[in-house]
Amino acid sequence: MLYNIAIHFYLLGVAIASLFNEKVRKMWRGERAAFNVLKQKVDPEARYVWFHAASLGEFEQGRPIMERLRREHPEYKILLTFFSPSGYEVRKNYEGADIICYLPLDTPINAIRFLRLVRPVMAYFIKYEFWYNYLHILKYRHVPAYSVSSIFRPDQIFFKWYAKKYAGVLHCITHFFVQNEQSKELLAKIGITDVTISGDTRFDRVLQIMEQSKHLPIVEAFKQDHHVFVAGSSWSPDEDIFIRFFNEHPEWKLIIAPHVIGNDHLQQILSKLNRKTVRYTEATTETAAEAQCLIIDCFGLLSSIYHYGEVAYVGGGFGVGIHNVLEAAVWNVPVFFGPNNKRFQEAQQLLASGGGVEITDYDSFATAMLRFMSDPEWLRQCGNKAGEYVKSKAGATNIVLKESLHN
């Protein structure tokens, strides 16, 4: 089959690329080591539920289900696999799973070997994960496989006339939990009707994160009684816009949590600022209180930092696409983002709710920001609409577990 030929060419490409790229090398070594990990850790008497996430974002979508399952059904053990190092390397010590490893590449031999070792009683694939050989063997073994928070568009390969054979992989899924009506309709066109519109488990996750948010004394000392603008996951084009504005408006303080925290990027940010600035890892409560700009030069704090802002900005919208707007919106703050947001359903819905603000350049940003600064009631209303939007979309985890555990 062409798919398996392509997979072997891909495997060869990964092997070559691993000689030159550290991230690819980690993935290559991790996939090869996965079987040793499973041999050492799999309990032959246990009943495993397998969760597969491509990367960190998909892990966050699967996390509410894993944690509910672990809490309410201790008779199961959890196996968590990743495709990307950006997921595995960050969550390899996650305490919510019994075994964590890379997923060996989807060759027929790897799939057979993997499933013989694990013998899962059910499997959850998060969002876009449709591995042909693994899913066909799961179906052959009568192991229920669920697609969670999946979303489909007409331009995807499954709906092309020339990919009918490959689209057969979707028929291996026991039940789809999709994000919207369009996805359900597209699946129906290729004969798939075991579908529930459950929404996106990320809404449950950000509400969970809000409840578990961290107390950050340095950020509190920085904020004091000031209005604060929080820019999260920002890139240079984003920073060019909001830094220029806040250089001219010292009445608000500024927190920047860039997507890339390498020294070169941090120095680039510092060169653009003409306000008193301190880096989080170098700050004390005293120096933070005196600063006008706080740069977050470490990971793991952003979702809690949004809590300290009156307005948020989520970066990436002037590049490949915006990052997670829900982490900000859940805190009842209006959320700015750039124009590349059309493929992101949550951004489109946030705009429609009145809690999101799309900008295209400096002038559009300045116009919206000046209105927020001059009209506190408008600011409050837009923030409330953002928070209400997130809360209105919660509940996907309940739907997934109720259906899949009683199927």
Side-chain angles (χ1 to χ4, degrees), residues 227 245 251-252 310-311 334 336 366-385:
H227 285 81
F245 181 87
E251 61 269 34
W252 277 48
E310 275 69 38
V311 178
F336 282 90
T367 299
M369 192 64 213
L370 286 170
R371 182 175 182 187
F372 283 139
M373 295 171 79
S374 63
D375 190 344
E377 180 59 22
W378 177 248
L379 172 60
R380 186 189 67 80
Q381 289 179 12
C382 292
N384 287 341
K385 288 175 181 177

Side-chain angles (χ1 to χ4, degrees), residues 106-304:
D106 187 30
T107 65
I109 291 174
N110 280 351
I112 291 168
R113 188 179 176 195
F114 179 93
L115 292 169
R116 280 178 177 170
L117 277 169
V118 178
R119 296 177 295 107
V121 296
M122 67 184 83
Y124 293 88
F125 293 82
I126 313 301
K127 200 170 184 179
Y128 294 130
E129 294 301 280
F130 302 107
W131 294 105
Y132 190 91
N133 292 305
Y134 282 105
L135 284 167
H136 274 83
I137 296 171
L138 285 171
K139 183 178 181 181
Y140 176 78
R141 293 179 170 224
H142 304 290
V143 177
Y146 303 101
S147 178
V148 176
S149 294
S150 45
I151 187 166
F152 294 95
R153 297 182 299 275
D155 60 351
Q156 288 173 304
I157 190 171
F158 309 111
F159 310 110
K160 303 296 185 182
W161 64 267
Y162 54 79
K164 288 184 178 180
K165 186 172 180 60
Y166 177 68
V169 69
L170 299 183
H171 290 267
C172 296
I173 297 290
T174 306
H175 198 92
F176 286 86
F177 297 95
V178 299
Q179 293 189 32
N180 57 28
E181 180 67 35
Q182 181 190 48
S183 298
K184 184 175 182 179
E185 291 173 356
L186 286 168
L187 291 171
K189 288 180 179 179
I190 58 173
I192 295 173
T193 57
D194 288 322
V195 182
T196 298
I197 302 173
S198 62
D200 190 344
T201 51
R202 280 186 302 168
F203 291 92
D204 298 329
R205 177 60 186 148
V206 295
L207 287 164
Q208 186 182 59
I209 290 170
M210 183 178 71
E211 292 173 0
Q212 300 168 353
S213 63
K214 299 172 183 176
H215 172 63
L216 302 172
I218 287 175
V219 182
E220 290 179 359
F222 172 79
K223 179 177 175 60
Q224 298 179 76
D225 295 324
H226 293 85
H227 285 81
V228 174
F229 180 90
V230 179
S233 302
S234 62
W235 295 81
S236 292
D238 306 303
E239 291 149 8
D240 287 339
I241 290 173
F242 63 74
I243 288 178
R244 174 184 166 188
F245 181 87
F246 285 101
N247 277 341
E248 300 170 0
H249 292 86
E251 61 269 34
W252 277 48
K253 287 192 171 187
L254 173 63
I255 297 177
I256 306 174
H259 184 73
V260 177
I261 61 170
N263 193 57
D264 288 348
H265 189 203
L266 294 175
Q267 290 301 321
Q268 185 184 80
I269 293 171
L270 288 167
S271 71
K272 296 174 183 177
L273 288 160
N274 62 16
R275 303 181 65 181
K276 189 171 184 179
T277 303
V278 64
R279 289 167 59 158
Y280 183 88
T281 58
E282 299 172 353
T284 64
T285 53
E286 290 77 16
T287 59
E290 296 172 357
Q292 296 174 308
C293 179
L294 178 64
I295 297 178
I296 310 302
D297 55 351
C298 56
F299 292 115
L301 301 180
L302 180 57
S303 58
S304 296

Side-chain angles (χ1 to χ4, degrees), residues 34-79:
F35 288 115
N36 287 332
V37 172
L38 294 172
K39 285 179 182 177
Q40 293 169 13
K41 295 188 175 182
V42 167
D43 177 357
E45 302 300 319
R47 301 175 70 204
Y48 284 96
V49 177
W50 173 25
F51 286 83
H52 177 65
S55 191
L56 190 58
E58 289 79 12
F59 163 78
E60 290 295 327
Q61 286 177 294
R63 184 170 178 169
I65 302 171
M66 279 186 276
E67 294 183 354
R68 277 276 301 278
L69 186 70
R70 192 174 184 84
R71 184 171 66 250
E72 298 177 6
H73 294 274
E75 67 271 23
Y76 296 122
K77 287 195 172 184
I78 292 175
L79 166 68

